[in-house]
């Protein structure tokens, strides 16, 4: 059975978010990624597999090495989904800030 991974469950994990941050500036091999964590390499490989299955990462094979890099198109889809929520909260916080400023000046 081929279950599709949920992108939001994937990015809920702090290690996977850290992997994504590592890969924002350059592509890296699994070994280079694993060197940044205090966990076993198979654990990092499992995280890479999950990120690849939900299409947040792509990988390319160069000889014996596999280089992982961010899938910008999928990251944009995630950002586009989240944007309305960010705008809503920005609006609410701006209103709260405005109310707090009025309250402060009345004192």
């Amino acid at each position: 059975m081929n279950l599709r991974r949920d992108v939001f469950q994937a990015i809920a994990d702090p290690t996977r978010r850290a992997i994504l941050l590592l890969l924002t500036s350059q592509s890296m091999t699994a070994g280079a990624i694993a060197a940044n964590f205090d966990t076993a390499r198979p654990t990092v490989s499992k995280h890479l597999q999950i990120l690849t299955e939900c299409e947040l990462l792509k990988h390319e094979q160069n000889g014996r090495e596999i280089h992982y890099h961010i899938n910008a198109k999928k990251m944009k889809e995630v950002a586009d989904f989240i944007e309305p929520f960010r705008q809503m909260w920005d609006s609410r916080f701006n209103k709260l800030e405005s109310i707090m400023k009025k309250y402060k000046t009345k004192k």
Side-chain angles (χ1 to χ4, degrees):
M1 176 182 344
N2 187 9
L3 296 176
R4 185 179 163 137
R5 297 265 185 198
D6 179 63
V7 71
F8 294 101
Q9 286 179 340
I11 61 176
D13 184 273
T15 302
R16 290 192 281 270
R17 288 194 309 268
I19 290 170
L20 290 170
L21 287 172
L22 275 174
L23 294 172
T24 57
S25 59
Q26 65 180 344
S27 65
M28 299 171 79
T29 64
I33 294 167
N36 290 277
F37 298 94
D38 290 330
T39 59
R41 186 171 170 172
T43 303
V44 173
S45 291
K46 183 66 176 172
H47 287 303
L48 292 171
Q49 177 186 358
I50 291 168
L51 290 168
T52 303
E53 286 176 2
C54 67
E55 299 176 351
L56 290 171
L57 294 183
K58 290 185 176 183
H59 60 280
E60 294 176 9
Q61 187 149 359
N62 269 346
R64 292 177 35 174
E65 293 184 335
I66 297 175
H67 289 265
Y68 291 88
H69 57 91
I70 296 283
N71 180 357
K73 182 178 178 185
K74 188 66 170 187
M75 293 295 283
K76 174 132 176 45
E77 287 177 20
V78 173
D80 289 347
F81 176 81
I82 292 172
E83 183 60 21
F85 299 101
R86 189 194 64 76
Q87 289 176 359
M88 176 194 65
W89 283 107
D90 278 350
S91 173
R92 289 181 180 185
F93 283 124
N94 289 338
K95 286 177 186 175
L96 179 60
E97 182 179 31
S98 172
I99 291 168
M100 294 303 291
K101 283 181 181 177
K102 288 178 186 177
Y103 176 76
K104 189 176 180 180
T105 57
K106 287 181 180 180
K107 270 189 145 180

